[in-house]
Amino acid sequence: MRCKGFVAFVALAASAQGCSGRGRVRKYDSGYPENEPRRVYVADVDRDGKPDVLVTAAASVRWLRNEGGERFSASTEIASGAHSEELALVDLDADQDVDIATEGGEVYLNDGAGRFSAAEVAQRASGGTAVASGDLDGDQRIDVIVGSSSGFVIFGNAGNGRFERRQSESQEKVVQMVTGDFDLDGDQDVLAVSSFPVSSARATALCCG
């Protein structure tokens, strides 16, 4: 028998002094077998003003719709792909709802009611390890950055649901990325955190500066 993977919801008891630390724990079926769920995200998927839950596994994304009163719907699969554990939840088509970009370079556009369709991504990255987003070229459209075992790739948002491979940077395996104006020049930059096998020479350099 295969066990189910659950999402646990904890409602803390509030008081005038803040959270008491005591609360109710509710479990909701993630829709995945035991040990398959990898990440959990919160976003208002259907624009009803209530935060929903997204659960990812190695190859899909499932949505638990917030029905209010600490109730969530049965999970439904809204996206699938080769690498979908890590997500960037951002409005990629400027229609005021949450879209999805995955670490595998897949992009799914939301119609505002929680129905997602795959966008066109040219020369999609392989071996994805991380994903981030930001307007890197100043055209008012949000681009997607995908990290991999050999660096990261920038997919420029060309509009009309199309993303073009525009630039790649080679480095060690990327484990996380964020965007921001780190050099204060008025545009968005990419900060990538990498991991690497440590040799004795590298360990000495890291240790002793």
Side-chain angles (χ1 to χ4, degrees):
M1 181 181 69
R2 302 185 72 185
C3 296
K4 295 180 178 180
F6 290 95
V7 175
F9 172 77
V10 181
L12 292 179
S15 67
Q17 291 74 40
C19 291
S20 68
R22 299 184 301 273
R24 303 175 302 281
V25 178
R26 298 176 184 268
K27 291 185 177 180
Y28 300 91
D29 185 0
S30 69
Y32 296 115
E34 185 181 21
N35 298 324
E36 282 195 15
R38 292 292 183 267
R39 303 283 190 277
V40 62
Y41 298 85
V42 176
D44 183 5
V45 173
D46 53 0
R47 297 191 298 187
D48 65 353
K50 296 189 289 290
D52 305 305
V53 174
L54 298 174
V55 185
T56 70
S60 71
V61 182
R62 301 188 74 89
W63 171 33
L64 283 76
R65 183 177 181 273
N66 189 339
E67 298 180 338
E70 300 178 17
R71 297 188 305 274
F72 288 84
S73 67
S75 72
T76 56
E77 185 175 78
I78 57 176
S80 62
H83 297 277
S84 54
E85 291 185 21
E86 296 283 348
L87 305 179
L89 302 176
V90 62
D91 185 5
L92 293 168
D93 52 2
D95 63 351
Q96 308 301 311
D97 57 32
V98 174
D99 305 308
I100 296 173
T102 77
E103 64 180 25
E106 298 94 353
V107 172
Y108 299 94
L109 302 178
N110 186 358
D111 69 355
R115 293 183 291 267
F116 289 81
S117 58
E120 179 184 342
V121 181
Q123 295 179 289
R124 203 172 67 194
S126 61
T129 57
V131 62
S133 62
D135 180 9
L136 299 181
D137 53 7
D139 65 354
Q140 308 303 310
R141 293 192 290 260
I142 303 299
D143 308 305
V144 174
I145 310 99
V146 175
S148 71
S149 58
S150 58
F152 63 85
V153 178
I154 296 171
F155 292 92
N157 188 339
N160 297 318
R162 295 182 298 110
F163 291 80
E164 301 171 346
R165 187 174 182 135
R166 293 185 179 168
Q167 182 179 347
S168 61
E169 297 291 336
S170 298
Q171 60 185 71
E172 305 290 349
K173 178 182 178 180
V174 173
V175 295
Q176 188 176 7
M177 296 180 298
V178 294
T179 58
D181 185 7
F182 301 112
D183 54 4
L184 303 179
D185 64 351
D187 57 31
Q188 293 285 293
D189 310 305
V190 179
L191 174 63
V193 178
S194 297
S195 65
F196 46 83
V198 180
S199 64
S200 57
R202 179 63 64 88
T204 300
L206 291 174
C207 172
C208 306

